[in-house]
Amino acid sequence: MLHVNPNISRISVSAASSMTAKARELADKGIKVVSLSTGEPDFDTPQHIVDAAIRAARGGDTHYPPLDGTRALKEAVRRKFARENHVDYDLNEIMVGNGAKQIIFNALMATLAPGNEVIVPVPCYASYADMTRSVGGNPVLLSCGQNNGFRLRPEDLEGAITPRTRWLILNMPNNPTGTVYSRADLEAIGEVVERHPQMWVMTDDIYEHLTYSDTPFFTMAEAVPQLKDRVLTINGCSKGYAMTGWRVGYCGGPKSLIDQMLKVQSQVSSGICTMSQAAAVAALNGPQDIVGTWREIYRQRRDLVVSMLAKVPQLSCHRPDGAFYAFPNVAGCLGKTTAGGQKLQTDADVSLALLAEQHVSTVHGTAFGMSGYIRLSYATDMESLKTACERIQTFCAALH
Ligand SMILES: Cc1ncc(COP(=O)(O)O)c(C=O)c1O
Protein backbone atom coordinates (compact mmCIF):
# COMPACT_ATOMS: atom_id res chain seq x y z
CA MET A 1 0.00 0.00 0.00
CA LEU A 2 1.25 3.45 -0.87
CA HIS A 3 1.54 5.81 2.09
CA VAL A 4 0.96 9.31 0.79
CA ASN A 5 2.34 12.37 2.54
CA PRO A 6 -0.79 13.85 4.20
CA ASN A 7 0.15 17.27 2.85
CA ILE A 8 0.13 15.88 -0.69
CA SER A 9 -3.27 14.28 -0.08
CA ARG A 10 -4.56 17.83 0.46
CA ILE A 11 -3.71 18.97 -3.07
CA SER A 12 -4.84 18.12 -6.60
CA VAL A 13 -3.71 18.36 -10.20
CA SER A 14 -4.59 21.74 -11.71
CA ALA A 15 -8.15 22.00 -13.05
CA ALA A 16 -6.91 23.83 -16.13
CA SER A 17 -4.70 20.88 -17.11
CA SER A 18 -7.49 18.35 -16.57
CA MET A 19 -9.93 20.39 -18.69
CA THR A 20 -7.27 20.73 -21.38
CA ALA A 21 -6.69 16.96 -21.24
CA LYS A 22 -10.45 16.36 -21.63
CA ALA A 23 -10.51 18.75 -24.61
CA ARG A 24 -7.57 16.87 -26.14
CA GLU A 25 -9.41 13.54 -25.74
CA LEU A 26 -12.33 14.93 -27.76
CA ALA A 27 -9.99 16.43 -30.35
CA ASP A 28 -8.26 13.04 -30.72
CA LYS A 29 -11.67 11.60 -31.66
CA GLY A 30 -11.81 14.10 -34.52
CA ILE A 31 -14.13 16.60 -32.79
CA LYS A 32 -13.34 20.25 -33.48
CA VAL A 33 -12.82 21.61 -30.00
CA VAL A 34 -12.08 25.27 -29.30
CA SER A 35 -9.75 25.22 -26.35
CA LEU A 36 -10.01 28.23 -24.07
CA SER A 37 -8.78 26.42 -20.99
CA THR A 38 -5.02 26.79 -21.32
CA GLY A 39 -3.22 29.76 -19.84
CA GLU A 40 -0.52 30.34 -22.41
CA PRO A 41 0.18 32.64 -25.33
CA ASP A 42 -0.60 31.16 -28.75
CA PHE A 43 2.40 33.04 -30.24
CA ASP A 44 5.72 31.35 -30.84
CA THR A 45 8.83 32.57 -29.03
CA PRO A 46 10.45 35.35 -31.11
CA GLN A 47 13.30 34.21 -33.35
CA HIS A 48 16.07 36.29 -31.74
CA ILE A 49 15.31 34.55 -28.42
CA VAL A 50 15.37 31.08 -29.98
CA ASP A 51 18.62 31.95 -31.79
CA ALA A 52 20.27 32.93 -28.51
CA ALA A 53 19.48 29.48 -27.07
CA ILE A 54 20.84 27.73 -30.16
CA ARG A 55 24.03 29.80 -29.98
CA ALA A 56 24.42 28.84 -26.32
CA ALA A 57 24.02 25.14 -27.08
CA ARG A 58 26.41 25.26 -30.06
CA GLY A 59 28.89 27.33 -28.07
CA GLY A 60 29.19 24.68 -25.35
CA ASP A 61 27.04 26.35 -22.70
CA THR A 62 25.87 22.88 -21.76
CA HIS A 63 27.26 22.32 -18.27
CA TYR A 64 25.61 22.60 -14.86
CA PRO A 65 24.44 26.18 -14.45
CA PRO A 66 25.04 28.30 -11.36
CA LEU A 67 22.33 27.62 -8.78
CA ASP A 68 21.04 31.20 -8.61
CA GLY A 69 21.19 31.92 -12.36
CA THR A 70 23.92 32.89 -14.81
CA ARG A 71 25.58 36.23 -14.19
CA ALA A 72 24.32 37.46 -17.58
CA LEU A 73 20.71 36.62 -16.72
CA LYS A 74 20.87 38.03 -13.21
CA GLU A 75 22.26 41.26 -14.61
CA ALA A 76 19.48 41.33 -17.22
CA VAL A 77 16.93 40.80 -14.43
CA ARG A 78 18.49 43.58 -12.35
CA ARG A 79 18.25 45.94 -15.33
CA LYS A 80 14.65 44.86 -15.99
CA PHE A 81 13.57 45.60 -12.41
CA ALA A 82 15.31 49.00 -12.56
CA ARG A 83 14.02 49.88 -16.05
CA GLU A 84 10.42 48.75 -15.76
CA ASN A 85 9.68 48.81 -12.04
CA HIS A 86 12.14 51.40 -10.70
CA VAL A 87 13.23 48.95 -8.02
CA ASP A 88 16.93 48.31 -7.38
CA TYR A 89 18.07 44.84 -6.39
CA ASP A 90 21.66 43.74 -5.83
CA LEU A 91 22.73 40.64 -7.70
CA ASN A 92 22.62 38.64 -4.44
CA GLU A 93 18.96 39.67 -4.05
CA ILE A 94 18.01 38.03 -7.37
CA MET A 95 17.51 34.38 -8.27
CA VAL A 96 16.30 32.45 -11.28
CA GLY A 97 14.02 29.39 -11.10
CA ASN A 98 12.16 26.92 -13.32
CA GLY A 99 9.33 29.30 -14.03
CA ALA A 100 7.63 31.67 -11.62
CA LYS A 101 6.02 28.54 -10.26
CA GLN A 102 9.25 27.19 -8.79
CA ILE A 103 10.07 30.60 -7.34
CA ILE A 104 6.73 30.69 -5.50
CA PHE A 105 7.23 27.14 -4.25
CA ASN A 106 10.81 27.84 -3.10
CA ALA A 107 9.61 30.83 -1.09
CA LEU A 108 6.78 28.95 0.60
CA MET A 109 8.91 25.88 1.27
CA ALA A 110 11.68 28.02 2.70
CA THR A 111 9.51 30.02 5.08
CA LEU A 112 6.42 28.11 6.22
CA ALA A 113 6.28 26.04 9.39
CA PRO A 114 3.30 23.70 9.92
CA GLY A 115 0.18 25.72 10.62
CA ASN A 116 1.54 29.01 9.27
CA GLU A 117 -0.99 30.93 7.22
CA VAL A 118 -0.81 32.45 3.77
CA ILE A 119 -3.44 34.98 2.81
CA VAL A 120 -4.59 34.39 -0.73
CA PRO A 121 -7.13 36.80 -2.22
CA VAL A 122 -9.52 34.83 -4.45
CA PRO A 123 -10.26 34.26 -7.21
CA CYS A 124 -6.65 33.43 -7.93
CA TYR A 125 -4.17 31.07 -9.55
CA ALA A 126 -4.93 27.75 -7.86
CA SER A 127 -1.30 26.86 -7.21
CA TYR A 128 -0.89 29.39 -4.36
CA ALA A 129 -3.25 27.49 -2.10
CA ASP A 130 -2.11 24.03 -3.14
CA MET A 131 1.58 24.88 -2.81
CA THR A 132 0.89 26.28 0.66
CA ARG A 133 -0.91 23.07 1.64
CA SER A 134 1.83 20.91 0.14
CA VAL A 135 4.41 22.33 2.56
CA GLY A 136 2.14 22.09 5.60
CA GLY A 137 0.82 25.64 5.66
CA ASN A 138 -2.80 26.78 5.61
CA PRO A 139 -4.11 29.04 2.87
CA VAL A 140 -6.57 31.66 4.10
CA LEU A 141 -8.76 32.42 1.11
CA LEU A 142 -10.13 35.96 1.11
CA SER A 143 -12.98 36.46 -1.27
CA CYS A 144 -12.72 39.57 -3.49
CA GLY A 145 -16.12 40.14 -5.05
CA GLN A 146 -16.95 41.37 -8.51
CA ASN A 147 -18.71 44.37 -6.90
CA ASN A 148 -15.25 45.65 -5.88
CA GLY A 149 -13.65 44.80 -9.22
CA PHE A 150 -12.27 41.59 -7.67
CA ARG A 151 -9.90 43.74 -5.57
CA LEU A 152 -8.75 42.94 -2.08
CA ARG A 153 -10.23 45.37 0.46
CA PRO A 154 -7.69 46.55 3.07
CA GLU A 155 -10.25 46.03 5.86
CA ASP A 156 -10.76 42.40 4.78
CA LEU A 157 -7.01 41.90 4.80
CA GLU A 158 -6.73 43.42 8.28
CA GLY A 159 -9.46 41.08 9.55
CA ALA A 160 -7.70 37.98 8.19
CA ILE A 161 -4.26 38.58 9.73
CA THR A 162 -3.29 36.44 12.74
CA PRO A 163 0.00 35.87 14.57
CA ARG A 164 0.43 32.82 12.29
CA THR A 165 0.22 34.85 9.05
CA ARG A 166 3.45 34.70 7.05
CA TRP A 167 2.55 35.85 3.55
CA LEU A 168 0.05 37.78 1.51
CA ILE A 169 0.18 36.69 -2.13
CA LEU A 170 -0.84 39.32 -4.68
CA ASN A 171 -1.20 38.65 -8.38
CA MET A 172 -1.86 41.44 -10.81
CA PRO A 173 -2.84 41.48 -13.56
CA ASN A 174 -4.81 38.67 -12.03
CA ASN A 175 -5.41 35.18 -13.27
CA PRO A 176 -8.42 34.64 -13.72
CA THR A 177 -10.02 38.12 -13.47
CA GLY A 178 -7.49 40.38 -15.21
CA THR A 179 -7.73 42.85 -12.33
CA VAL A 180 -4.90 45.38 -12.09
CA TYR A 181 -4.23 47.28 -8.84
CA SER A 182 -3.52 51.00 -8.93
CA ARG A 183 -0.71 52.56 -6.92
CA ALA A 184 -3.33 53.79 -4.42
CA ASP A 185 -4.73 50.25 -4.05
CA LEU A 186 -1.25 48.95 -3.26
CA GLU A 187 -0.53 51.78 -0.84
CA ALA A 188 -3.72 51.00 1.09
CA ILE A 189 -2.79 47.30 1.29
CA GLY A 190 0.80 48.22 2.16
CA GLU A 191 -0.40 50.31 5.12
CA VAL A 192 -2.08 47.23 6.60
CA VAL A 193 0.94 45.00 5.97
CA GLU A 194 3.28 47.53 7.58
CA ARG A 195 1.41 47.16 10.87
CA HIS A 196 2.07 43.38 10.97
CA PRO A 197 5.80 42.61 10.87
CA GLN A 198 5.24 38.83 10.99
CA MET A 199 3.96 38.87 7.39
CA TRP A 200 5.65 39.49 4.04
CA VAL A 201 4.20 40.08 0.59
CA MET A 202 4.77 37.98 -2.50
CA THR A 203 3.76 39.70 -5.72
CA ASP A 204 3.33 37.52 -8.77
CA ASP A 205 3.77 39.92 -11.69
CA ILE A 206 3.93 37.29 -14.43
CA TYR A 207 1.27 39.13 -16.53
CA GLU A 208 2.89 42.56 -16.03
CA HIS A 209 3.28 43.28 -19.73
CA LEU A 210 -0.34 42.45 -20.53
CA THR A 211 -2.33 45.48 -19.36
CA TYR A 212 -4.95 47.28 -21.42
CA SER A 213 -6.14 50.23 -19.37
CA ASP A 214 -4.54 53.63 -18.86
CA THR A 215 -3.61 52.70 -15.28
CA PRO A 216 0.14 52.07 -15.33
CA PHE A 217 1.39 48.83 -13.80
CA PHE A 218 2.91 49.04 -10.33
CA THR A 219 4.48 46.31 -8.31
CA MET A 220 4.38 46.41 -4.49
CA ALA A 221 8.09 47.14 -3.95
CA GLU A 222 7.75 50.16 -6.22
CA ALA A 223 4.44 51.49 -4.87
CA VAL A 224 5.39 51.00 -1.21
CA PRO A 225 9.21 51.23 -1.12
CA GLN A 226 9.34 51.18 2.68
CA LEU A 227 8.07 47.57 2.48
CA LYS A 228 10.78 46.45 0.05
CA ASP A 229 12.66 44.46 2.70
CA ARG A 230 9.50 42.35 3.23
CA VAL A 231 8.52 41.92 -0.41
CA LEU A 232 9.38 39.17 -2.87
CA THR A 233 8.87 40.45 -6.44
CA ILE A 234 8.23 37.52 -8.76
CA ASN A 235 8.20 37.59 -12.53
CA GLY A 236 9.22 35.45 -15.48
CA CYS A 237 9.42 35.12 -19.23
CA SER A 238 6.48 32.74 -19.79
CA LYS A 239 3.60 35.07 -20.56
CA GLY A 240 5.13 38.35 -21.76
CA TYR A 241 7.64 36.76 -24.15
CA ALA A 242 5.62 33.65 -25.13
CA MET A 243 8.19 31.42 -23.44
CA THR A 244 6.06 29.02 -21.38
CA GLY A 245 8.07 26.00 -22.49
CA TRP A 246 11.46 27.46 -21.59
CA ARG A 247 10.68 27.52 -17.86
CA VAL A 248 12.35 30.71 -16.75
CA GLY A 249 11.10 32.63 -13.73
CA TYR A 250 12.98 35.06 -11.54
CA CYS A 251 12.57 37.19 -8.48
CA GLY A 252 14.05 39.99 -6.43
CA GLY A 253 13.85 40.05 -2.66
CA PRO A 254 15.83 40.37 0.55
CA LYS A 255 19.06 38.36 0.54
CA SER A 256 18.04 36.60 3.77
CA LEU A 257 15.05 35.10 1.94
CA ILE A 258 16.84 34.41 -1.36
CA ASP A 259 19.54 32.46 0.52
CA GLN A 260 16.91 30.14 2.05
CA MET A 261 15.11 29.75 -1.30
CA LEU A 262 18.39 28.78 -2.94
CA LYS A 263 18.82 25.98 -0.41
CA VAL A 264 15.44 24.59 -1.50
CA GLN A 265 16.29 24.89 -5.19
CA SER A 266 19.70 23.28 -4.67
CA GLN A 267 18.05 20.14 -3.31
CA VAL A 268 15.19 20.01 -5.81
CA SER A 269 16.36 20.96 -9.28
CA SER A 270 19.73 22.77 -9.14
CA GLY A 271 20.12 25.70 -11.56
CA ILE A 272 17.99 26.33 -14.61
CA CYS A 273 18.63 24.96 -18.12
CA THR A 274 21.56 26.93 -19.56
CA MET A 275 20.01 27.35 -23.01
CA SER A 276 16.81 28.70 -21.50
CA GLN A 277 18.80 31.19 -19.47
CA ALA A 278 20.59 32.40 -22.61
CA ALA A 279 17.17 32.76 -24.27
CA ALA A 280 15.87 34.76 -21.29
CA VAL A 281 18.85 37.13 -21.50
CA ALA A 282 17.93 37.81 -25.13
CA ALA A 283 14.28 38.35 -24.14
CA LEU A 284 15.03 40.82 -21.34
CA ASN A 285 17.89 42.69 -23.04
CA GLY A 286 16.58 42.58 -26.59
CA PRO A 287 13.98 44.64 -28.46
CA GLN A 288 10.73 44.97 -26.53
CA ASP A 289 8.45 46.07 -29.38
CA ILE A 290 6.91 42.60 -29.87
CA VAL A 291 5.48 42.81 -26.34
CA GLY A 292 3.56 45.96 -27.32
CA THR A 293 2.39 44.38 -30.57
CA TRP A 294 1.01 41.35 -28.76
CA ARG A 295 -0.59 43.55 -26.10
CA GLU A 296 -2.59 45.29 -28.84
CA ILE A 297 -3.65 41.93 -30.30
CA TYR A 298 -4.76 40.68 -26.88
CA ARG A 299 -6.70 43.92 -26.35
CA GLN A 300 -8.65 43.34 -29.58
CA ARG A 301 -9.35 39.75 -28.57
CA ARG A 302 -10.55 40.87 -25.15
CA ASP A 303 -12.89 43.40 -26.73
CA LEU A 304 -14.33 40.76 -29.07
CA VAL A 305 -14.93 38.25 -26.27
CA VAL A 306 -16.42 40.76 -23.84
CA SER A 307 -18.72 42.23 -26.50
CA MET A 308 -19.96 38.80 -27.63
CA LEU A 309 -20.52 37.58 -24.07
CA ALA A 310 -22.40 40.79 -23.27
CA LYS A 311 -25.09 39.64 -25.72
CA VAL A 312 -25.80 36.56 -23.60
CA PRO A 313 -28.53 37.31 -21.04
CA GLN A 314 -27.49 34.44 -18.76
CA LEU A 315 -23.93 35.78 -18.39
CA SER A 316 -22.42 38.93 -16.99
CA CYS A 317 -18.82 39.63 -17.83
CA HIS A 318 -16.72 42.50 -16.50
CA ARG A 319 -14.05 44.00 -18.77
CA PRO A 320 -10.68 42.62 -17.67
CA ASP A 321 -7.88 45.21 -17.57
CA GLY A 322 -5.04 42.75 -18.04
CA ALA A 323 -3.76 39.17 -18.51
CA PHE A 324 -5.62 37.14 -21.17
CA TYR A 325 -8.66 35.77 -19.40
CA ALA A 326 -12.35 36.64 -19.26
CA PHE A 327 -14.21 35.53 -16.14
CA PRO A 328 -17.95 35.69 -16.83
CA ASN A 329 -20.46 35.11 -14.08
CA VAL A 330 -22.62 32.09 -14.98
CA ALA A 331 -25.15 32.34 -12.13
CA GLY A 332 -27.88 32.91 -14.74
CA CYS A 333 -27.25 29.41 -16.15
CA LEU A 334 -27.59 27.60 -12.84
CA GLY A 335 -30.78 25.67 -12.15
CA LYS A 336 -31.41 25.43 -15.92
CA THR A 337 -31.25 22.41 -18.23
CA THR A 338 -29.12 22.27 -21.39
CA ALA A 339 -30.21 21.25 -24.89
CA GLY A 340 -28.61 17.87 -24.16
CA GLY A 341 -30.73 17.43 -21.02
CA GLN A 342 -27.98 18.21 -18.51
CA LYS A 343 -29.16 19.96 -15.32
CA LEU A 344 -26.68 22.70 -14.39
CA GLN A 345 -26.18 22.92 -10.62
CA THR A 346 -22.66 24.34 -10.43
CA ASP A 347 -20.09 26.24 -12.48
CA ALA A 348 -18.28 22.92 -13.03
CA ASP A 349 -21.49 21.56 -14.61
CA VAL A 350 -21.56 24.58 -16.94
CA SER A 351 -17.95 24.11 -17.96
CA LEU A 352 -18.34 20.35 -18.52
CA ALA A 353 -21.61 20.71 -20.45
CA LEU A 354 -20.09 23.44 -22.65
CA LEU A 355 -17.31 21.05 -23.54
CA ALA A 356 -19.57 18.05 -24.07
CA GLU A 357 -22.31 19.84 -26.06
CA GLN A 358 -20.58 22.77 -27.76
CA HIS A 359 -16.94 21.60 -27.70
CA VAL A 360 -15.62 24.70 -26.00
CA SER A 361 -13.21 24.07 -23.14
CA THR A 362 -13.14 26.50 -20.22
CA VAL A 363 -12.26 26.18 -16.52
CA HIS A 364 -14.84 26.50 -13.75
CA GLY A 365 -14.44 29.39 -11.31
CA THR A 366 -14.41 27.14 -8.25
CA ALA A 367 -10.96 25.98 -9.37
CA PHE A 368 -9.81 29.57 -8.74
CA GLY A 369 -11.60 29.80 -5.39
CA MET A 370 -14.79 31.52 -6.59
CA SER A 371 -17.89 29.60 -7.59
CA GLY A 372 -20.47 30.84 -10.08
CA TYR A 373 -17.97 31.79 -12.82
CA ILE A 374 -16.04 30.23 -15.69
CA ARG A 375 -12.64 31.29 -17.03
CA LEU A 376 -11.99 31.64 -20.75
CA SER A 377 -8.50 32.25 -22.06
CA TYR A 378 -8.47 34.61 -25.04
CA ALA A 379 -4.88 33.76 -25.92
CA THR A 380 -6.01 32.33 -29.21
CA ASP A 381 -6.88 33.64 -32.68
CA MET A 382 -9.91 35.84 -33.41
CA GLU A 383 -11.62 33.22 -35.58
CA SER A 384 -11.51 30.59 -32.81
CA LEU A 385 -12.69 33.14 -30.26
CA LYS A 386 -15.60 34.13 -32.48
CA THR A 387 -16.57 30.48 -32.97
CA ALA A 388 -16.27 29.79 -29.22
CA CYS A 389 -18.42 32.78 -28.28
CA GLU A 390 -21.06 31.84 -30.89
CA ARG A 391 -21.15 28.35 -29.43
CA ILE A 392 -21.53 29.78 -25.91
CA GLN A 393 -24.38 31.96 -27.21
CA THR A 394 -26.06 28.87 -28.74
CA PHE A 395 -25.53 26.89 -25.52
CA CYS A 396 -27.09 29.58 -23.35
CA ALA A 397 -29.98 30.30 -25.75
CA ALA A 398 -31.05 26.65 -25.48
CA LEU A 399 -31.11 26.62 -21.68
CA HIS A 400 -34.56 26.04 -20.24
C1 LIG B 1 -0.64 33.83 -11.94
C2 LIG B 1 0.35 32.86 -12.46
N1 LIG B 1 1.54 32.75 -11.86
C3 LIG B 1 2.47 31.89 -12.30
C4 LIG B 1 2.22 31.08 -13.38
C5 LIG B 1 3.29 30.12 -13.81
O1 LIG B 1 4.29 30.79 -14.50
P1 LIG B 1 5.58 30.03 -15.02
O2 LIG B 1 5.27 29.48 -16.37
O3 LIG B 1 6.62 31.10 -15.08
O4 LIG B 1 5.91 28.97 -14.04
C6 LIG B 1 0.99 31.14 -14.03
C7 LIG B 1 0.68 30.24 -15.16
O5 LIG B 1 -0.42 30.08 -15.58
C8 LIG B 1 0.03 32.06 -13.56
O6 LIG B 1 -1.16 32.18 -14.15
Side-chain angles (χ1 to χ4, degrees):
M1 178 189 161
L2 176 69
H3 295 277
V4 176
N5 175 342
N7 290 333
I8 299 305
S9 302
R10 297 165 74 204
I11 70 174
S12 46
V13 179
S14 110
S17 354
S18 46
M19 273 312 276
T20 304
K22 281 197 177 77
R24 224 170 264 147
E25 271 169 36
L26 289 184
D28 287 347
K29 289 183 192 150
I31 296 171
K32 212 170 169 312
V33 177
V34 186
S35 178
L36 306 185
S37 48
T38 340
E40 68 169 332
D42 54 322
F43 303 113
D44 289 331
T45 305
Q47 200 55 47
H48 71 280
I49 299 177
V50 176
D51 289 345
I54 293 170
R55 269 198 310 278
R58 293 222 165 103
D61 190 0
T62 52
H63 299 272
Y64 276 129
L67 176 60
D68 51 346
T70 59
R71 186 164 180 108
L73 181 51
K74 289 180 60 173
E75 277 175 352
V77 168
R78 175 159 70 176
R79 275 196 293 277
K80 179 263 176 261
F81 280 136
R83 178 179 73 233
E84 297 184 347
N85 309 111
H86 314 108
V87 181
D88 290 319
Y89 287 111
D90 286 339
L91 285 188
N92 62 15
E93 294 177 312
I94 289 171
M95 75 172 282
V96 177
N98 278 288
K101 208 165 193 176
Q102 187 178 28
I103 298 282
I104 301 163
F105 181 80
N106 287 345
L108 295 172
M109 180 76 186
T111 54
L112 295 184
N116 282 167
E117 292 166 2
V118 176
I119 297 180
V120 183
V122 290
C124 75
Y125 181 50
S127 293
Y128 305 138
D130 268 350
M131 284 191 199
T132 299
R133 293 186 188 102
S134 74
V135 299
N138 292 326
V140 176
L141 306 182
L142 266 192
S143 193
C144 304
Q146 187 172 356
N147 54 3
N148 193 39
F150 299 108
R151 276 179 186 73
L152 172 63
R153 276 197 293 247
E155 59 272 29
D156 292 342
L157 172 63
E158 183 73 65
I161 297 170
T162 75
R164 295 175 300 283
T165 307
R166 291 294 172 269
W167 288 102
L168 162 66
I169 304 186
L170 292 177
N171 166 228
M172 60 261 160
N174 176 269
N175 171 9
T177 64
T179 296
V180 180
Y181 284 52
S182 68
R183 174 175 236 159
D185 291 330
L186 292 174
E187 284 169 350
I189 291 169
E191 254 178 53
V192 177
V193 174
E194 273 189 82
R195 288 197 285 274
H196 300 277
Q198 77 277 24
M199 72 185 292
W200 289 32
V201 183
M202 210 183 280
T203 64
D204 176 349
D205 301 341
I206 194 87
Y207 296 99
E208 168 183 9
H209 291 131
L210 306 178
T211 56
Y212 316 116
S213 68
D214 293 335
T215 319
F217 173 85
F218 284 101
T219 191
M220 191 57 142
E222 178 183 16
V224 190
Q226 64 275 28
L227 265 186
K228 182 175 167 244
D229 60 358
R230 284 203 271 145
V231 171
L232 182 65
T233 307
I234 300 173
N235 213 317
C237 297
S238 287
K239 315 287 180 174
Y241 298 102
M243 290 178 66
T244 45
W246 300 79
R247 311 308 304 129
V248 183
Y250 55 83
C251 64
K255 180 176 182 305
S256 57
L257 171 63
I258 299 292
D259 286 348
Q260 299 304 319
M261 291 169 62
L262 284 170
K263 280 195 212 164
V264 176
Q265 186 154 297
S266 77
Q267 298 304 346
V268 174
S269 62
S270 303
I272 309 317
C273 167
T274 47
M275 284 72 94
S276 290
Q277 294 201 61
V281 171
L284 295 178
N285 287 349
Q288 301 295 306
D289 43 327
I290 189 70
V291 175
T293 307
W294 286 341
R295 183 188 301 126
E296 197 40 47
I297 294 172
Y298 285 127
R299 185 205 306 273
Q300 287 167 16
R301 293 169 172 182
R302 173 200 66 171
D303 291 346
L304 173 80
V305 168
V306 170
S307 67
M308 287 188 76
L309 295 183
K311 295 189 184 129
V312 183
Q314 292 86 351
L315 304 179
S316 88
C317 186
H318 74 297
R319 213 167 73 116
D321 280 334
F324 40 58
Y325 308 105
F327 197 57
N329 184 310
V330 296
C333 301
L334 303 184
K336 305 250 168 69
T337 303
T338 67
Q342 192 70 35
K343 179 105 178 158
L344 302 177
Q345 312 276 20
T346 64
D347 52 8
D349 294 344
V350 175
S351 187
L352 287 170
L354 253 178
L355 179 61
E357 297 183 20
Q358 289 294 336
H359 310 140
V360 177
S361 76
T362 59
V363 185
H364 57 295
T366 306
F368 305 94
M370 187 163 283
S371 62
Y373 292 81
I374 56 172
R375 187 195 77 173
L376 290 68
S377 161
Y378 51 83
T380 191
D381 62 280
M382 292 290 253
E383 205 44 48
S384 302
L385 290 173
K386 198 160 161 280
T387 305
C389 290
E390 282 164 359
R391 291 183 185 181
I392 292 171
Q393 288 170 346
T394 307
F395 176 87
C396 289
L399 292 178
H400 53 282

